[in-house]
Amino acid sequence: MTYEGRKRGTHGSRRAGTSARPSRGPKRAAPRWHSSPPPAGGWRKSPSLPPFRGRGLPRGSLLHFRLRGSCCGSQMMETERLVLPPPDPLDLPLRAVELGCTGRWELRNVPGAPESTLPHGLPPCAPDLQQEAEQWFLSSPAWLPLHGLEHPARKWQRKMDPWSLLTVLGAPVPSDLQAQRQPTTGQMLGFKEVLLENTDLSATTSLSLRRPPGPISQSLWGNPTQYPFWPGGMDEPTVTELSAREEAEEEIDFEKDLLTVPPGFEKGVDFAAKAHPAPAPGLLSLSRLLEPLDLGGGDEDERAAVGQPGGNRGDTVPASPCTAPLARASSLEDLVLKEASTVVSPSEPPKPLPQEQWAIPVDVTSPVGDFYRLIPQPAFQWPFEPDVFQKQAILHLERHDSVFVAAHTSAGKTVVAEYAIALAQKHMTRTIYTSPIKALSNQKFRDFRNTFGDVGLLTGDVQLHPEASCLIMTTEILRSMLYSGSDVIRDLEWVIFDEVHYINDAERGVVWEEVLIMLPDHVSIILLSATVPNALEFADWIGRLKRRQIYVVSTAARPVPLEHYLFTGNSPKTQGELFLLLDSRGAFHTKGYYAAVEAKKERMSKHAQTFGAKQPTHQGGPAQDRGVYLSLLASLRTRAQLPVVVFTFSRGRCDEQASGLTSLDLTTSSEKSEIHLFLQRCLARLRGSDRQLPQVLHMSELLHRGLGVHHSGILPILKEIVEMLFSRGLVKVLFATETFAMGVNMPARTVVFDSMRKHDGNAFRDLLPGEYVQMAGRAGRRGLDPTGTVILLCKGRVPEMVDLHRMMTGKPSQLQSQFRLTYTMILNLLRVDALRVEDMMKRSFSEFPSRKDSKAHEQALAELTKKLGALEEPDLTGQLADLPEYYSWGEELTETRSLIQRRVMESVSGLKALSAGRVVVVKSQEHHNALGVVLQVSSNSTSRVFTTLVLCDKPGSEEPQERRSAAPGVPYPEDLVGFKLFLPEGPCDHTVARLQPGDVAAITTRVLRVNGEKVLEDFSKRQQLKFKKDPPLAAVTAAVQELLRLAQAHPAGPPTLDPVNDLQLKDVSVVEGGLRARKLEELIWGAQCVHSPRFPAQYLKLQERRQVQKEIERLRFLLSDQSLLLLPEYHQRVEVLRTLGYVDEAGTVKLAGRVACAMSSHELLLTELMFDNALSALRPEEIAALLSGLVCQSPGDTGEQLPSTLKQGVERVRAVAKRIGEVQVACGLSQTVEEFVGELNFGLVGVVYEWARGMPFSELAGLSGTPEGLVVRCIQRLAEMCRSLRGAARLVGEPVLGAKMETAATLLRRDIVFAASLYTQ
């Protein structure tokens, strides 16, 4: 028994015969009517009354009651007649409750009189939301689910429910309903289900930018477990492509494994092409239309009669090459037109692909007159007028193009970077500015913060304003963010690479290539570099890599021209010996060079007077240096050419030269006061003992006199003080190393080179043109100096003019790839299924020369494949059955002989045998198996050159050439086994050729007595026009006749020197090659195909097919991964990872591999130490001391004063490194165990140990002779490594080790070592 009530409204009708009446009065919303806690699935509102089943009612009763309508009027609603028990209706255990003013009632199983929840006539209202929330969520929280609360305010103890842990969230909805409307009226026609892509994306499963962002805590640095974003230039696969790729992974041979008869069927489909007569143009061949439906085979009786089971006809005529498959068309009419056009139009040769131009040079010579018309409201304005090249670059930035700006130092490349930052702020996007060194990052942070304000800094130990629109960081940090999938990349519009020529650095150059490859497609690139000769090639590589055009803005003009001088003075008397060598227009003055040489000769002793000889440019000691610099600085001070930067390529010599100028004082009293105040303000942040460090005191004394020192051994805060004082003009003379010229925008009036030779880590050498230009470019302050002065000191002898000219006017070094495989790169790419290490190698700059022609190779491959299909198959029946083997034997014999001959020409005995008079067989482009006699042997820079007298045809005889060119060469056994020497058909002539070692096909046993000099002199004389008809000398005629007699006597070639017996070559390849050659000769002599009359014709057919197939294989190899230069090393490194347990057999990265991904350096050694528990038992300060051996750059002895725990730890670290090195050697890597272990330097273990224990920095100086700056750099890098290990320990669930690494990093980060940079204050 059920009672059902309904809500009355303006629309709708009543069931069971009731009619709808319009309601009078305002429409009121229904109030909340639930008085019990909501069910687990939430509240469900219904317009009808809840079902009621009359429990407890006496049978036979009849219930009559009425429902009150709205307050505006009562309407009667008669209910169904129900049989009820006899008692009075008022005695029933029911109560009618009116729900507000909506006309809805509810029957409750509680006795009582009817009542209402609200007074009549009042508008409906809901309970207070705050009270309701407190009632349901705080007072009675038992109904809340156990899981899924994002931010619970409280936690209540509940009963244990283990089954609730098995509850998982449902899968995301894979589809959605899309409304379909009538286009004109908008009428709803229905709904269509559409599949949704990217419904289950996350940072750990997808590379798409459409994946949801990660946690806020990981938005900046990302997470090593997250996927990177999809690199630009690579086609991102869609869902359909991924599913198709999975299906295609099944190994199916589409030539052999495809069935023509379905399983269980008696008949199948014969897909073989049938030969049909060609229809007339414009007519459709019905037989060809029905050909695919031709059921092959007939019935079983016919198959049995013919004897061909399976329905395959043996007499099927193969289709002619011109028969093409029928193209698809939407109608028969279109098909007829296509057929007709195919028949009528002649076959056109395939058009070559248009040459892709990715690097576009920009003309910077013509002025940009309409600059302000094109950009009426620029994003940034300067107080000066930008140069032409700057305007050109800005125009392309406004079009969101990528640019490569190559200009000299101090030319104003930073203007382009500033406009990109301003443009990103205007677009409300972000910019990343990368620099090669941390010091440059700090300086750019100060400059850009003063200009734009909203600038952040990210370095290894500093993180300032990471939410800023412009982030400044090193390239290594950007690489880490890309691999870790940082969400900063989403908002990124520009990445500015400063000092791109730093890509030539052997150690860190690979980082630039990795970052350029991994950048997503929506990020535009700005490259700032010094002038390089191959800027277009580098930009072309980036353009092909990212599939976007790169605009190259290059200028060789200097804003301040330079003048280069030689200085030979060493005393006040000779301080005027300054000689101009290269003027501001680029003209080289030899007069100045000779004047410098003469001035130097006057003061040199007689036994050392050598004109311009190359000798060590430094002679004498500190006393002579002091005299040279005092005279030079006095001259420069007189001519108002201060400040000056002196580049010295040794840290020790920088300190010596500055300390030797004790009598020099270049500052005024006001400048001394300003320097003193600045020093006091900067050093006030240091603790008391740090202010009394010897280096701090010494530097303060030098700075007060206007002198400064800048190199890696100086404390970082002191280097920044020197830089700031130099930029203010208070440091008059700065002694610096080469690093001062790396991107630091601090020009001087004059630049001085202490020497033109430097030690590059391996040996002493002259400065390269690029290095010289980089440092010399610091001379000349824009807007202050008309010219910059560059001076080269000649302390010893004057360098050679050729060396000076090459260094000053030579081309800078080209941008070269330093790409190499690292374990971090391999593991980061292996953990992402969609990315391959092979793709990274293909896109590297090192593979660019071989990969830039990929489109042409693909086109040539398609044409050759088509040509191969059109070639006629050779007939290999009968005696021609061994024709393919015969062809292969001949090719292998030729290659084997070539290999043996190369080994002979590379050997000492082989070159010794090729003396004057030796008869050889010449095989080159001009001569084919012609005899010759060696006249002279000379050597060039790469190999030896053999000047040889060679037989040839008379120049006037044309017939033999025509006959030989008309008759194709079909080699018979005597041609393959022997040489088949060249014999002139007409009059014999001779020529003299300069042969390379590869042009000598064989060395004979014959030696002729010949006067080489006379023959060469006679031949050279007869090359002149007036002596052209003179007869040759008798010696020449005799040699030619002897060679002709040998050729006639031995048509198959004279006896040759045996490499093993005569030349005593014991190389395995030579011995095995000789045995293989003899075996091949026997096989060739026994071939039967040469006896067939059809042999020449069929051999040519086979030769053509094999040549086409060989070219196809070559092109496929060039397009495949097998042609990658680093592919063997990649397989070796993967084998190392597999052996150590970092990846499994399928290439899946395991836990150890994921830990190694979090390491920035020494990833294998650190991971092995962690998994071997070599660090867990040590104290934090001991761990820090041991790890210093991985980051210390100065080699040294560990010392005998170390605790026994540290000594054992050092030995254990070396043992683990030795084990890794042995695995690498076993897997084929070229690095030896000693080289791998030698990368560890434990010279600062004791220093770091005492520092971590709290020793002041002033007391560390006596523990080691390492410069203070290198100690600080070691400790800073060590703190970064400790943080990496802390994150790795948390990843593997090692909280104890993680806490120790956190403690170690805290112990290291104190005092002067981690003093805040002055540029960030």
Side-chain angles (χ1 to χ4, degrees):
M1 179 176 60
T2 304
Y3 174 82
E4 190 177 33
R6 293 176 178 83
K7 181 177 69 175
R8 182 181 304 131
T10 56
H11 297 285
S13 61
R14 299 175 58 182
R15 298 181 183 177
T18 60
S19 60
R21 299 179 183 179
S23 71
R24 290 170 292 179
K27 183 178 180 180
R28 293 175 293 183
R32 304 177 185 269
W33 56 276
H34 287 284
S35 60
S36 58
W43 287 315
R44 181 178 61 185
K45 296 183 179 181
S46 173
S48 61
L49 289 177
F52 167 74
R53 192 170 298 275
R55 293 189 297 270
L57 295 180
R59 290 187 180 180
S61 300
L62 185 63
L63 174 64
H64 293 272
F65 62 90
R66 296 179 179 181
L67 295 178
R68 186 182 301 272
S70 63
C71 60
C72 298
S74 62
Q75 296 179 353
M76 304 298 296
M77 182 175 70
E78 187 174 315
T79 64
E80 295 177 312
R81 287 184 173 272
L82 303 177
V83 179
L84 298 176
D88 189 87
L90 295 179
D91 295 335
L92 294 176
L94 297 175
R95 174 181 295 178
V97 180
E98 182 184 16
L99 302 179
C101 304
T102 59
R104 298 178 60 192
W105 288 77
E106 185 182 72
L107 289 179
R108 298 185 179 179
N109 192 11
V110 178
E115 61 182 16
S116 175
T117 58
L118 288 176
H120 295 286
L122 295 179
C125 64
D128 183 62
L129 293 178
Q130 182 177 355
Q131 295 178 1
E132 189 177 15
E134 291 177 354
Q135 178 183 0
W136 296 119
F137 290 91
L138 298 181
S139 301
S140 56
W143 64 274
L144 293 173
L146 291 177
H147 305 286
L149 296 179
E150 294 294 333
H151 305 287
R154 286 181 53 186
K155 181 175 70 175
W156 298 273
Q157 298 296 332
R158 298 183 177 88
K159 295 181 181 180
M160 295 179 59
D161 186 11
W163 292 103
S164 63
L165 298 176
L166 303 179
T167 304
V168 296
L169 297 176
V173 181
S175 61
D176 193 10
L177 293 180
Q178 184 177 14
Q180 291 182 322
R181 299 179 180 273
Q182 215 280 339
T184 56
T185 63
Q187 179 184 1
M188 183 75 70
L189 302 179
F191 293 90
K192 177 184 178 182
E193 184 178 11
V194 293
L195 295 178
L196 298 178
E197 291 189 359
N198 310 320
T199 56
D200 194 16
L201 298 183
S202 67
T204 57
T205 59
S206 172
L207 290 83
S208 175
L209 284 167
R210 293 185 292 272
R211 73 191 190 197
I216 299 297
S217 59
Q218 300 177 2
S219 62
L220 179 63
W221 297 104
N223 192 295
T225 61
Q226 294 183 174
Y227 280 13
F229 292 107
W230 193 265
M234 300 172 61
D235 294 328
E236 186 172 356
T238 61
V239 176
T240 307
E241 292 176 350
L242 289 176
S243 59
R245 184 184 303 175
E246 294 176 358
E247 296 175 358
E249 288 179 354
E250 302 178 4
E251 297 182 359
I252 300 176
D253 189 345
F254 288 93
E255 296 181 358
K256 300 178 181 179
D257 296 344
L258 296 183
L259 303 177
T260 58
V261 180
F265 281 56
E266 295 182 356
K267 298 181 180 181
V269 180
D270 185 7
F271 292 97
K274 306 297 190 300
H276 301 287
L283 297 180
L284 190 64
S285 175
L286 186 60
S287 59
R288 290 181 60 191
L289 278 175
L290 300 179
E291 178 183 330
L293 303 178
D294 184 16
L295 299 178
D299 55 13
E300 296 180 1
D301 296 335
E302 292 178 354
R303 289 201 303 272
V306 180
Q308 296 176 352
N312 296 328
R313 302 178 181 178
D315 57 348
T316 303
V317 179
S320 61
C322 62
T323 303
L326 192 63
R328 291 182 176 270
S330 58
S331 65
L332 286 176
E333 185 176 353
D334 295 339
L335 195 59
V336 171
L337 295 177
K338 288 183 180 180
E339 189 78 12
S341 62
T342 303
V343 174
V344 173
S345 62
S347 60
E348 298 180 357
K351 297 181 180 179
L353 291 175
Q355 185 69 26
E356 295 176 319
Q357 186 179 8
W358 299 105
I360 301 178
V362 178
D363 183 17
V364 297
T365 58
S366 58
V368 187
D370 55 350
F371 177 76
Y372 293 101
R373 183 183 64 81
L374 296 175
I375 310 177
Q377 296 179 349
F380 189 78
Q381 293 182 350
W382 297 268
F384 55 88
E385 182 70 15
D387 293 337
V388 175
F389 83 94
Q390 295 168 342
K391 291 182 178 180
Q392 293 281 11
I394 290 171
L395 287 176
H396 289 288
L397 293 186
E398 285 283 352
R399 302 168 192 158
H400 207 268
D401 295 331
S402 297
V403 296
F404 186 149
V405 181
H408 283 295
T409 306
S410 303
K413 299 185 291 292
T414 309
V415 168
V416 182
E418 289 174 344
Y419 195 84
I421 297 172
L423 205 58
Q425 291 183 347
K426 178 181 178 181
H427 297 163
M428 301 182 69
T429 55
R430 307 185 82 168
T431 305
I432 287 182
Y433 185 99
T434 68
S435 65
I437 54 178
K438 178 182 173 182
L440 182 57
S441 298
N442 294 334
Q443 294 168 8
K444 291 299 182 183
F445 171 74
R446 181 197 61 176
D447 297 340
F448 290 156
R449 184 184 59 179
N450 295 336
T451 305
F452 300 101
D454 190 19
V455 179
L457 177 65
L458 298 178
T459 59
D461 56 344
V462 177
Q463 177 177 325
L464 298 176
H465 310 296
E467 73 285 350
S469 63
C470 175
L471 293 178
I472 300 174
M473 63 187 70
T474 57
T475 318
E476 283 81 359
I477 291 180
L478 179 56
R479 176 183 63 173
S480 176
M481 293 172 64
L482 288 171
Y483 278 135
S484 301
S486 170
D487 286 328
V488 174
I489 309 299
R490 297 175 180 271
D491 305 330
L492 199 55
E493 182 178 7
W494 306 99
V495 172
I496 305 168
F497 294 91
D498 199 2
E499 307 293 336
V500 174
H501 50 272
Y502 206 83
I503 197 174
N504 288 342
D505 184 74
E507 183 67 24
R508 300 172 57 203
V510 62
V511 182
W512 271 256
E513 295 192 49
E514 287 186 70
V515 171
L516 287 169
I517 294 173
M518 293 298 297
L519 279 177
D521 192 52
H522 70 279
V523 181
S524 295
I525 300 170
I526 299 175
L527 304 164
L528 307 179
S529 170
T531 53
V532 289
N534 62 335
L536 282 176
E537 180 188 8
F538 189 77
D540 189 27
W541 166 64
I542 298 178
R544 292 178 187 273
L545 177 69
K546 296 301 178 183
R547 296 182 185 175
R548 60 167 60 188
Q549 291 179 335
I550 309 294
Y551 292 87
V552 181
V553 182
S554 180
T555 176
R558 285 188 176 276
V560 180
L562 300 181
E563 293 179 345
H564 304 258
Y565 294 85
L566 293 178
F567 181 76
T568 59
N570 61 356
S571 64
K573 295 182 180 179
T574 59
Q575 68 180 18
E577 294 184 358
L578 198 63
F579 305 97
L580 180 62
L581 192 63
L582 190 70
D583 61 18
S584 58
R585 298 186 303 273
F588 194 86
H589 293 258
T590 57
K591 183 185 298 185
Y593 175 80
Y594 292 127
V597 172
E598 291 297 329
K600 199 70 177 176
K601 287 174 82 174
E602 294 179 1
R603 295 191 307 273
M604 294 178 63
S605 58
K606 294 182 180 180
H607 68 275
Q609 291 183 6
T610 305
F611 179 76
K614 179 188 288 187
Q615 297 289 341
T617 57
H618 174 65
Q619 293 180 351
Q624 180 181 353
D625 285 353
R626 187 182 306 111
V628 171
Y629 280 107
L630 286 176
S631 60
L632 172 65
L633 295 177
S635 174
L636 295 178
R637 191 176 186 181
T638 303
R639 298 190 298 172
Q641 289 187 326
L642 297 179
V644 57
V645 178
V646 181
F647 284 107
T648 304
F649 307 110
S650 169
R651 295 191 299 264
R653 289 178 55 78
C654 277
D655 297 330
E656 291 177 3
Q657 291 163 358
S659 301
L661 302 178
T662 55
S663 61
L664 189 64
D665 192 349
L666 301 174
T667 56
T668 63
S669 58
S670 60
E671 291 174 338
K672 292 182 189 297
S673 175
E674 186 177 353
I675 293 172
H676 178 74
L677 293 176
F678 185 79
L679 281 172
Q680 292 297 321
R681 187 168 63 253
C682 294
L683 297 178
R685 65 186 66 221
L686 302 180
R687 58 183 298 181
S689 60
D690 291 340
R691 297 178 208 164
Q692 303 302 318
L693 289 174
Q695 191 178 93
V696 174
L697 297 177
H698 178 61
M699 186 66 69
S700 300
E701 191 270 335
L702 290 177
L703 291 174
H704 278 88
R705 294 189 287 114
L707 304 179
V709 180
H710 189 285
H711 57 73
S712 59
I714 303 297
L715 292 169
I717 190 171
L718 292 182
K719 286 198 296 185
E720 294 179 349
I721 291 174
V722 171
E723 292 167 1
M724 291 183 174
L725 290 177
F726 184 82
S727 62
R728 296 186 183 185
L730 299 177
V731 173
K732 310 298 182 181
V733 180
L734 178 62
F735 293 90
T737 54
E738 189 177 359
T739 55
F740 184 78
M742 180 57 66
V744 182
N745 187 18
M746 294 184 182
R749 177 68 175 88
T750 306
V751 165
V752 175
F753 286 89
D754 182 73
S755 171
M756 64 174 291
R757 293 180 63 80
K758 62 173 286 189
H759 193 276
D760 59 359
N762 298 319
F764 281 97
R765 61 169 175 82
D766 290 343
L767 288 177
L768 299 175
E771 297 170 340
Y772 179 82
V773 169
Q774 178 79 10
M775 289 180 276
R778 296 300 168 197
R781 296 164 296 181
R782 188 169 187 174
L784 298 177
D785 305 322
T787 58
T789 304
V790 182
I791 300 174
L792 176 62
L793 300 184
C794 300
K795 298 179 181 179
R797 302 182 184 277
V798 180
E800 290 280 1
M801 183 190 299
V802 177
D803 297 335
L804 291 172
H805 188 274
R806 175 192 54 80
M807 182 181 70
M808 294 181 178
T809 63
K811 290 185 177 181
S813 302
Q814 291 189 346
L815 296 178
Q816 296 178 349
S817 174
Q818 302 295 334
F819 186 83
R820 55 187 173 87
L821 292 174
T822 61
Y823 292 110
T824 303
M825 178 201 305
I826 295 174
L827 290 171
N828 273 308
L829 295 178
L830 284 180
R831 66 185 179 90
V832 183
D833 297 335
L835 297 179
R836 301 188 313 139
V837 184
E838 292 89 341
D839 294 333
M840 178 74 80
M841 291 188 287
K842 283 181 183 178
R843 287 164 172 78
S844 66
F845 190 37
S846 60
E847 294 286 344
F848 172 67
S850 60
R851 294 283 168 177
K852 64 180 180 180
D853 298 327
S854 298
K855 295 290 185 182
H857 290 164
E858 291 174 359
Q859 183 184 18
L861 181 61
E863 295 175 357
L864 288 175
T865 305
K866 184 178 180 181
K867 178 181 178 181
L868 181 63
L871 290 178
E872 184 180 355
E873 289 279 357
D875 184 8
L876 304 178
T877 59
Q879 288 181 315
L880 297 174
D882 59 350
L883 180 59
E885 290 79 7
Y886 178 81
Y887 180 86
S888 301
W889 294 334
E891 292 289 318
E892 186 179 356
L893 179 60
T894 304
E895 293 177 3
T896 304
R897 285 179 172 174
S898 299
L899 174 63
I900 296 175
Q901 189 61 26
R902 285 198 303 270
R903 295 291 184 268
V904 169
M905 300 304 295
E906 293 170 359
S907 65
V908 177
S909 56
L911 295 176
K912 187 177 180 180
L914 285 171
S915 57
R918 175 71 66 177
V919 178
V920 295
V921 179
V922 181
K923 189 174 183 180
S924 62
Q925 294 182 352
E926 295 82 10
H927 309 282
H928 182 73
N929 292 343
L931 283 183
V933 57
V934 179
L935 301 177
Q936 192 180 69
V937 180
S938 58
S939 300
N940 58 11
S941 58
T942 57
S943 63
R944 294 198 177 188
V945 177
F946 306 96
T947 306
T948 309
L949 179 71
V950 187
L951 294 180
C952 65
D953 280 317
K954 199 77 172 176
S957 58
E958 298 291 338
E959 183 180 353
Q961 289 287 346
E962 295 177 358
R963 182 180 61 82
R964 282 197 299 273
S965 61
V970 178
Y972 282 86
E974 55 271 17
D975 301 327
L976 293 175
V977 174
F979 285 101
K980 193 177 181 181
L981 293 178
F982 160 77
L983 283 174
E985 295 292 335
C988 180
D989 200 2
H990 65 276
T991 185
V992 174
R994 293 174 58 85
L995 304 180
Q996 298 295 329
D999 298 332
V1000 179
I1003 305 174
T1004 67
T1005 58
R1006 296 298 302 270
V1007 178
L1008 303 181
R1009 297 183 61 182
V1010 62
N1011 192 334
E1013 294 182 0
K1014 287 187 177 182
V1015 173
L1016 289 176
E1017 183 180 352
D1018 175 70
F1019 183 80
S1020 300
K1021 174 185 175 183
R1022 288 186 286 113
Q1023 297 306 307
Q1024 301 178 20
L1025 187 60
K1026 61 179 179 178
F1027 302 112
K1028 200 168 186 63
K1029 296 185 179 181
D1030 289 0
L1033 291 178
V1036 178
T1037 305
V1040 172
Q1041 293 299 324
E1042 184 64 20
L1043 292 177
L1044 185 59
R1045 187 187 64 80
L1046 279 174
Q1048 293 173 349
H1050 304 280
T1056 59
L1057 294 178
D1058 186 82
V1060 179
N1061 298 327
D1062 298 331
L1063 300 178
Q1064 300 299 316
L1065 295 183
K1066 305 301 182 183
D1067 188 41
V1068 177
S1069 60
V1070 175
V1071 176
E1072 292 181 351
L1075 297 176
R1076 180 58 181 169
R1078 296 189 190 96
K1079 179 65 176 177
L1080 291 172
E1081 291 174 2
E1082 295 176 0
L1083 293 174
I1084 290 174
W1085 282 117
Q1088 298 297 321
C1089 59
V1090 297
H1091 304 297
S1092 173
R1094 298 176 295 157
F1095 169 71
Q1098 301 305 318
Y1099 182 89
L1100 292 178
K1101 292 181 181 180
L1102 179 64
Q1103 184 183 39
E1104 187 178 8
R1105 288 188 65 86
R1106 290 293 179 89
Q1107 289 176 351
V1108 173
Q1109 290 173 351
K1110 186 176 181 180
E1111 182 65 16
I1112 289 176
E1113 292 176 1
R1114 187 186 72 86
L1115 293 176
R1116 285 177 178 171
F1117 174 77
L1118 292 177
L1119 294 172
S1120 68
D1121 297 339
Q1122 304 303 317
S1123 62
L1124 296 173
L1125 300 177
L1126 296 176
L1127 188 66
E1129 182 186 350
Y1130 165 62
H1131 292 310
Q1132 293 165 358
R1133 291 189 180 271
V1134 171
E1135 186 62 29
V1136 171
L1137 296 174
R1138 189 175 293 114
T1139 304
L1140 294 176
Y1142 289 56
V1143 297
D1144 58 14
E1145 294 297 329
T1148 304
V1149 180
K1150 302 169 72 173
L1151 178 60
R1154 295 186 179 275
V1155 172
C1157 288
M1159 308 298 179
S1160 58
S1161 62
H1162 296 282
E1163 52 275 359
L1164 295 188
L1165 183 55
L1166 287 173
T1167 307
E1168 290 298 305
L1169 290 175
M1170 179 182 296
F1171 278 81
D1172 288 350
N1173 292 324
L1175 306 176
S1176 301
L1178 301 176
R1179 299 195 303 272
E1181 57 269 19
E1182 295 173 343
I1183 298 176
L1186 286 180
L1187 295 180
S1188 67
L1190 280 66
V1191 297
C1192 178
Q1193 297 178 343
S1194 57
D1197 190 11
T1198 56
E1200 299 295 334
Q1201 304 298 326
L1202 292 180
S1204 58
T1205 308
L1206 288 181
K1207 291 182 179 179
Q1208 295 173 3
V1210 169
E1211 294 302 322
R1212 185 166 185 180
V1213 172
R1214 284 176 172 163
V1216 174
K1218 182 179 179 181
R1219 176 165 58 85
I1220 297 174
E1222 291 172 349
V1223 172
Q1224 290 189 147
V1225 172
C1227 294
L1229 289 175
S1230 59
Q1231 189 181 28
T1232 63
V1233 179
E1234 291 75 15
E1235 291 174 348
F1236 185 77
V1237 179
E1239 294 177 353
L1240 307 178
N1241 298 316
F1242 294 97
L1244 293 180
V1245 172
V1247 174
V1248 175
Y1249 179 65
E1250 295 299 336
W1251 174 257
R1253 294 179 61 189
M1255 179 180 289
F1257 193 84
S1258 57
E1259 301 179 14
L1260 291 180
L1263 299 179
S1264 173
T1266 306
E1268 292 87 338
L1270 297 182
V1271 174
V1272 170
R1273 179 59 182 152
C1274 173
I1275 298 177
Q1276 290 176 345
R1277 295 182 61 189
L1278 183 58
E1280 298 176 18
M1281 182 174 288
C1282 290
R1283 285 197 302 271
S1284 300
L1285 277 173
R1286 177 196 61 187
R1290 293 176 178 176
L1291 183 63
V1292 299
E1294 287 282 350
V1296 177
L1297 180 60
K1300 288 185 177 181
M1301 300 314 304
E1302 179 72 24
T1303 304
T1306 305
L1307 293 176
L1308 296 174
R1309 296 178 59 87
R1310 63 181 177 87
D1311 298 346
I1312 194 172
V1313 175
F1314 282 89
S1317 172
L1318 300 177
Y1319 291 110
T1320 61
Q1321 302 305 312

